[in-house]
Amino acid sequence: MKQLKTIAILGAVLIPSVSFAERTGVVPRVSMGYSEYNFNQSGRTGAITRDAQGNLLATPLDFPSVDFDVNFFMYSVGATFFKGNKYLDLSYQTSSTESDTFDADLFGGYSESLSGDRTDYSITAGMKVKVGSLKSKMGVYVGYKVGKSSATGVLSDATASNFGNTNATMLSFKEDGPFFGVNYGWRLGKGLISANIAYAFLSGKLIEENTKFEGTQQTNLNAKSKAHGVSYGIGWNAKFFGGASYSIAVDTNSYTFKDVSDSFGHASPSTVPNPPSKFKEDFLTLKFSISKVFFLAFRSEEHTSELQ
């Protein structure tokens, strides 16, 4: 199984810092990034009960653990609406389509290439907290995220010949849940260096259909699980040109989905034996963003904006 995952937790949110005056505005942004992603699914004892031709096995086989490493590009747009020290952020993100190969010692050799992508949405509300030093800035935030991955497999020629068909795996993974976090920034020269940490509580649903096993649903999944985990990162924000600003951020995320329950409910409902006990994902992302502040209400005095 494979998931292509992009980061979903908003780290250091881009908002203007103009003292704490009651100014109103919006900060649109565009971003590009590169992510290294690892997904691991635990093995499934006795999950394979039939051979490649659909014949019942005398002794069930174990479905091996799955471990994928995927590198992909991501693209996102967003906007932060603010008034004084409070803000609301909306974000949309999608990834490039990437592939990886799953090989297993099953039925004389099994090899399948999976290609998929990922889409994420999030909404975040937060506020800036006044701290003692004018050179440091702090913010707290809460939010909700939704993400969906999909992938389709292609069997190798040898595997397709062994199974007598070219049907391969189809995957759909959706997760959603709340998160909360805090970020802190320090002024350094003409820019701001910031650090953030966030904690998420997620519900996940994975549908996996292996249609190559004709007449059976022995490895199909309709799994639900809960996860919680942490993301943290560091970023740099500074002025660009034309009144715009740029940011460079590195984030790392780690989520462990446990207490997996599964019941496949298509045309012939059945309880699938021995679903994976857990699956885990870790990813490291480098992102570059450009943004610009547009004030919707102005005060008479001169202002300068600093992005965090």
Side-chain angles (χ1 to χ4, degrees):
M1 184 182 69
K2 171 183 171 181
Q3 301 166 22
L4 297 177
K5 174 79 174 177
T6 60
I7 65 169
I9 297 299
L10 186 65
V13 180
L14 290 170
I15 61 174
S17 172
V18 285
S19 301
F20 281 88
E22 289 299 314
R23 301 200 65 184
T24 302
V26 60
V27 188
R29 69 181 180 277
V30 294
S31 305
M32 293 185 63
Y34 181 80
S35 183
E36 295 181 352
Y37 171 74
N38 176 264
F39 172 82
N40 178 268
Q41 174 187 292
S42 62
R44 302 169 60 189
T45 304
I48 300 178
T49 59
R50 297 178 182 269
D51 63 18
Q53 287 70 43
N55 301 311
L56 190 65
L57 296 171
T59 302
L61 300 177
D62 296 342
F63 192 88
S65 62
V66 179
D67 192 16
F68 282 99
D69 290 293
V70 179
N71 299 327
F72 62 92
F73 294 96
M74 62 183 189
Y75 317 94
S76 64
V77 294
T80 304
F81 303 88
F82 66 90
K83 182 175 182 179
N85 67 326
K86 300 178 180 64
Y87 65 87
L88 178 70
D89 184 88
L90 304 176
S91 177
Y92 168 82
Q93 182 170 264
T94 187
S95 76
S96 57
T97 299
E98 302 295 343
S99 301
D100 200 7
T101 302
F102 172 57
D103 297 307
D105 186 19
L106 294 172
F107 311 126
Y110 181 91
S111 181
E112 181 177 10
S113 176
L114 286 156
S115 297
D117 56 17
R118 173 83 181 184
T119 302
D120 291 276
Y121 309 83
S122 68
I123 181 170
T124 307
M127 63 183 296
K128 296 177 66 66
V129 180
K130 197 170 185 178
V131 292
S133 172
L134 294 176
K135 292 186 177 182
S136 60
K137 304 176 187 302
M138 182 178 177
V140 294
Y141 56 89
V142 297
Y144 196 89
K145 56 151 288 193
V146 178
K148 185 176 181 180
S149 299
S150 59
T152 302
V154 176
L155 298 180
S156 68
D157 292 342
T159 301
S161 176
N162 187 25
F163 277 85
N165 62 68
T166 58
N167 296 331
T169 303
M170 294 180 291
L171 302 176
S172 174
F173 179 76
K174 182 179 180 180
E175 61 182 7
D176 63 281
F179 59 88
F180 67 92
V182 60
N183 54 49
Y184 201 92
W186 299 265
R187 181 168 301 287
L188 184 63
K190 295 184 178 181
L192 193 74
I193 187 169
S194 61
N196 79 86
I197 185 169
Y199 202 82
F201 302 88
L202 304 176
S203 296
K205 183 176 182 179
L206 171 67
I207 296 177
E208 179 178 348
E209 298 183 45
N210 294 287
T211 56
K212 56 191 155 293
F213 296 101
E214 294 184 0
T216 73
Q217 296 182 32
Q218 57 188 343
T219 58
N220 291 347
L221 286 172
N222 188 352
K224 296 181 179 180
S225 180
K226 300 288 186 180
H228 56 85
V230 65
S231 66
Y232 52 92
I234 188 169
W236 167 257
N237 306 291
K239 289 292 184 180
F240 206 31
F241 60 85
S245 297
Y246 74 92
S247 68
I248 300 173
V250 178
D251 289 277
T252 182
N253 305 63
S254 181
Y255 304 115
T256 300
F257 290 80
K258 296 181 178 179
D259 301 323
V260 180
S261 61
D262 182 274
S263 60
F264 202 85
H266 286 297
S268 301
S270 64
T271 299
V272 179
N274 303 324
S277 60
K278 67 178 181 179
F279 42 94
K280 188 176 186 295
E281 54 189 5
D282 299 282
F283 39 99
L284 177 68
T285 304
L286 173 66
K287 180 185 282 190
F288 176 78
S289 303
I290 297 178
S291 61
K292 186 173 182 177
V293 180
F294 295 91
F295 291 108
L296 304 181
F298 294 88
R299 296 173 61 90
S300 58
E301 64 266 25
E302 182 180 356
H303 296 274
T304 57
S305 62
E306 301 157 0
L307 292 180
Q308 178 177 329

